[in-house]
Amino acid sequence: MDQPIAPHRVEFLHHPHPGFPHLTAWGIRINGTDLRVLVAEATRTLWNRELDEDDDTPQEREEFLLRQHAPLHLDDDADGARARSHFLGDAPPHLRDRDTGALCLLGCSCGIDACWPLLARLRVTATQVT
């Protein structure tokens, strides 16, 4: 039996990368919430086991959670054509997982998207993206 589908409002936001004007940074909001915040909430319990409470303040741990991923950087994409193609499943090989085909939704905060990406598998039909 199929699970009921809960519709969500997904927004894609872009801005020039602060240090590299040829890169466009793409972020995602779901129902008005930055995807990085949703990832921080989903991974908080796992990271709490890893982070050292003696070395980091609660504020530092929270900042780490919020900054574990960064907006995705796409070369020369001022009009959004590459982002549309990417987020509809046609991601370039360096922004895909070889084994699963999952694509990069968020990149690493170090600036190298493939370093610590948030990956997702997409299924695209004529009426929905899952």
Side-chain angles (χ1 to χ4, degrees), residues 3-4 10 13 16-17 30 34 38 40 61 63-65 72 76-78 84-85 96 100 107 109 112 114 120 124-125:
Q3 294 282 334
V10 179
L13 310 157
H17 185 286
I30 299 175
D34 189 317
L38 296 172
R61 289 192 300 275
E63 286 178 20
F64 169 82
L65 286 172
L72 187 64
D76 191 25
D77 192 36
R84 279 189 295 281
S85 178
R96 283 192 165 281
T100 65
S109 58
I112 301 170
V124 179
T125 70

Side-chain angles (χ1 to χ4, degrees), residues 3 16 18 28 37-38 50 65 79-81 84 116:
Q3 294 282 334
I28 301 171
V37 171
L38 296 172
E50 298 289 328
L65 286 172
D79 67 355
R84 279 189 295 281
W116 177 249

Side-chain angles (χ1 to χ4, degrees), residues 69-102:
H69 291 100
L72 187 64
H73 300 107
L74 297 173
D75 295 337
D76 191 25
D77 192 36
D79 67 355
R82 289 198 59 218
R84 279 189 295 281
S85 178
H86 177 91
F87 291 119
L88 287 174
D90 190 22
H94 72 282
L95 294 176
R96 283 192 165 281
D97 181 76
R98 250 183 309 198
D99 298 325
T100 65

Side-chain angles (χ1 to χ4, degrees), residues 6-18:
H8 297 281
R9 178 174 164 74
V10 179
E11 299 170 84
F12 296 94
L13 310 157
H14 63 90
H15 56 84
H17 185 286

Side-chain angles (χ1 to χ4, degrees), residues 38-92:
L38 296 172
V39 171
E41 290 171 2
T43 60
R44 181 173 280 110
T45 302
L46 296 170
W47 278 113
N48 281 342
R49 290 186 230 154
E50 298 289 328
L51 299 174
D52 189 348
E53 291 183 22
D54 295 332
D55 290 340
D56 301 317
T57 67
Q59 181 179 350
E60 289 170 328
R61 289 192 300 275
E62 191 62 24
E63 286 178 20
F64 169 82
L65 286 172
L66 291 173
R67 297 185 195 283
Q68 64 182 309
H69 291 100
L72 187 64
H73 300 107
L74 297 173
D75 295 337
D76 191 25
D77 192 36
D79 67 355
R82 289 198 59 218
R84 279 189 295 281
S85 178
H86 177 91
F87 291 119
L88 287 174
D90 190 22

Side-chain angles (χ1 to χ4, degrees), residues 15-30:
H15 56 84
H17 185 286
F20 303 96
H22 68 286
L23 295 177
T24 302
W26 287 90
I28 301 171
R29 283 189 193 148
I30 299 175

